[in-house]
């Protein structure tokens, strides 16, 4: 199945600042999302056609412990994979060693076209995490080179700004991004790629939302927020706090604002990048044990996937039927791309 985007262009791809902060989500209990029947519709959930309607899924994993197959290694440091269905290819970021007086890491967006073709898609992209825009025509990128969130148009690689700053203060180093089907965008802002540049966030590492061109604060209580993803029904936002070894979930309101926060998983291993399948199962890459941990929507662990033995950073579904999970993993200087076939198609965020 190929997703053909039919949604209006991602709203607010422009220079964005907020006039006033919004309060962070209040801590409190949240009802577990337990739906396994995929009956998802349009906004604010998954894009039309992204997940089969009326499907009921069993276990997403062929076994509780899987090993992914290496496609290619020898890259420097891979992150942020995202599948572009209309082109039939996977994009991902390849970060290099820090350079210049501020020790900022250059980054290139590379393309993998199955079964074996690799090329450079955007040089000097400055990117980390990537996501597809609501209309499927742009890549929304967490870009640490300019300390902002950018969009790259797929047709001509032109760059625009989604979120420039928050109340006039530069972000730390935007890391990962999730885009709702109506264009509302969420991103994490740890300080991993800030380098020697000035801290304008007063020591805080946060989660932000962009809606109609305005940047709002979601939560500034997390220590090094990293991976971020939306449930296919649009009702839950997941964020991994790398330095807390926890995964949080937030209630998402229809307008994109955030409600209650609760702990989804008390997690050991350093939660990095994440993706979600059409049944709502959550796939979290771990920087510590290098596994991909798979959880049901209730937080029960279903199994693990091992792509390598160090440096697992991120995951994304792809392939013609989106039942191939792509994983970026490997030591610095020899990072690689891996894949494994699963039983449930993935949600293209």
């Amino acid at each position: 199945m190929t997703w053909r985007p039919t949604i209006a262009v991602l709203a607010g791809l422009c220079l964005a600042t907020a006039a006033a902060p919004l309060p962070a989500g209040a801590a409190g209990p949240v009802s577990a999302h337990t739906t396994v029947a995929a009956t998802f519709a349009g906004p604010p959930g998954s894009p039309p056609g992204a997940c089969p309607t009326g499907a009921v899924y069993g276990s997403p994993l062929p076994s509780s412990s899987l090993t992914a197959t290496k496609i290619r290694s020898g890259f420097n440091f891979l992150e942020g994979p995202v599948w572009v269905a209309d082109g039939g290819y996977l994009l991902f970021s390849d970060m290099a060693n820090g350079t210049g007086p501020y020790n900022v890491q250059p980054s290139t967006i590379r393309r993998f076209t199955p079964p074996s073709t690799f090329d450079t898609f955007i040089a000097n992209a400055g990117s980390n995490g990537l996501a597809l825009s609501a209309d499927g025509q742009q890549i929304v990128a967490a870009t640490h080179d300019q300390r902002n969130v950018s969009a790259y148009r797929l047709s001509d690689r032109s760059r625009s700004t989604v979120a420039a700053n928050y109340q006039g203060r530069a972000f730390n180093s935007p890391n990962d991004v999730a885009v709702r089907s109506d264009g509302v965008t969420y991103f994490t802002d740890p300080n991993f790629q800030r380098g020697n540049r000035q801290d304008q966030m007063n020591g805080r590492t946060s989660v932000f939302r962009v809606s109609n061109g305005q940047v709002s604060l979601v939560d500034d209580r997390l220590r090094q927020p990293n991976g971020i993803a939306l449930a296919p029904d649009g009702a839950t936002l997941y964020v991994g706090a790398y330095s807390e070894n926890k995964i949080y979930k937030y209630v998402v309101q229809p307008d994109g604002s955030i409600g209650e926060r609760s702990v989804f998983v008390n997690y050991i291993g350093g939660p990095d990048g994440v993706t979600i399948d059409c049944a709502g199962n959550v796939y979290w890459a771990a920087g510590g044990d290098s596994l991909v941990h798979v959880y049901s929507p209730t937080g029960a662990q279903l199994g693990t996937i091992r792509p390598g033995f160090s440096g697992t950073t991120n995951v994304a579904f792809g392939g013609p039927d989106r039942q191939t999970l792509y994983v970026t993993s490997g030591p610095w200087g020899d990072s690689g791309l891996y894949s494994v076939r699963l039983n449930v198609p993935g949600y293209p965020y």
Side-chain angles (χ1 to χ4, degrees):
M1 178 184 65
T2 299
W3 171 42
R4 300 293 180 185
T6 59
I7 306 171
V9 177
L10 175 65
L13 291 183
C14 58
L15 193 76
T17 58
L22 294 184
V30 177
S31 297
H33 173 65
T34 57
T35 301
V36 295
T39 56
F40 312 123
S46 60
C51 291
T53 58
V56 178
Y57 300 107
S59 171
L61 303 178
S63 67
S64 61
S65 179
L66 296 176
T67 300
T69 300
K70 182 190 294 185
I71 300 172
R72 178 179 163 181
S73 59
F75 298 99
N76 200 58
F77 184 77
L78 299 188
E79 257 286 6
V82 63
W83 180 257
V84 180
D86 282 345
Y89 56 81
L90 185 82
L91 297 178
F92 52 93
S93 298
D94 186 6
M95 288 187 280
N97 296 319
T99 62
Y102 296 110
N103 195 36
V104 177
Q105 295 175 245
S107 177
T108 298
I109 295 178
R110 304 196 187 278
R111 175 171 56 183
F112 167 62
T113 305
S116 58
T117 301
F118 289 84
D119 62 354
T120 296
F121 192 75
I122 301 174
N124 301 313
S127 61
N128 194 318
L130 307 174
L132 199 63
S133 68
D135 66 345
Q137 302 304 305
Q138 300 183 84
I139 290 296
V140 181
T143 40
H144 56 264
D145 63 339
Q146 297 181 7
R147 302 171 71 174
N148 64 4
V149 177
S150 303
Y152 284 101
R153 186 164 293 280
L154 294 173
S155 59
D156 60 8
R157 281 51 156 190
S158 60
R159 183 175 183 171
S160 59
T161 302
V162 177
N165 56 67
Y166 177 62
Q167 298 185 327
R169 303 192 303 273
F171 301 114
N172 293 304
S173 56
N175 183 276
D176 207 356
V177 60
V179 180
R180 203 167 73 164
S181 59
D182 60 356
V184 176
T185 300
Y186 304 88
F187 67 96
T188 56
D189 186 40
N191 60 25
F192 298 139
Q193 277 79 44
R194 194 177 66 207
N196 300 327
R197 294 171 290 187
Q198 181 186 8
D199 175 12
Q200 297 189 22
M201 288 291 161
N202 299 318
R204 295 182 178 181
T205 54
S206 307
V207 182
F208 294 96
R209 170 173 62 101
V210 189
S211 181
N212 296 319
Q214 298 298 307
V215 179
S216 302
L217 176 67
V218 171
D219 196 344
D220 63 0
R221 299 168 292 168
L222 305 187
R223 291 191 289 122
Q224 303 293 18
N226 200 323
I228 188 168
L230 283 160
D233 65 0
T236 305
L237 179 71
Y238 297 94
V239 180
Y242 189 86
S243 293
E244 299 177 37
N245 282 327
K246 290 183 179 181
I247 299 169
Y248 292 99
K249 65 178 183 179
Y250 301 80
V251 174
V252 181
Q253 307 299 337
D255 66 354
S257 61
I258 300 298
E260 294 178 314
R261 184 186 87 175
S262 63
V263 174
F264 176 62
V265 172
N266 282 306
Y267 181 88
I268 304 299
D272 202 323
V274 57
T275 193
I276 297 181
D277 68 22
C278 285
N281 301 305
V282 180
Y283 300 72
W284 222 292
D289 59 17
S290 298
L291 297 171
V292 177
H293 294 260
V294 185
Y295 301 99
S296 75
T298 64
Q301 184 151 0
L302 303 178
T304 60
I305 301 167
R306 177 173 291 282
F309 293 94
S310 65
T312 299
T313 59
N314 218 322
V315 284
F317 280 95
D321 59 3
R322 284 201 308 277
Q323 286 183 225
T324 298
L325 185 73
Y326 290 101
V327 187
T328 51
S329 180
W332 188 273
D334 191 24
S335 188
L337 180 66
Y338 295 74
S339 69
V340 62
R341 290 285 296 170
L342 300 180
N343 295 334
V344 177
Y347 165 46
Y349 70 97

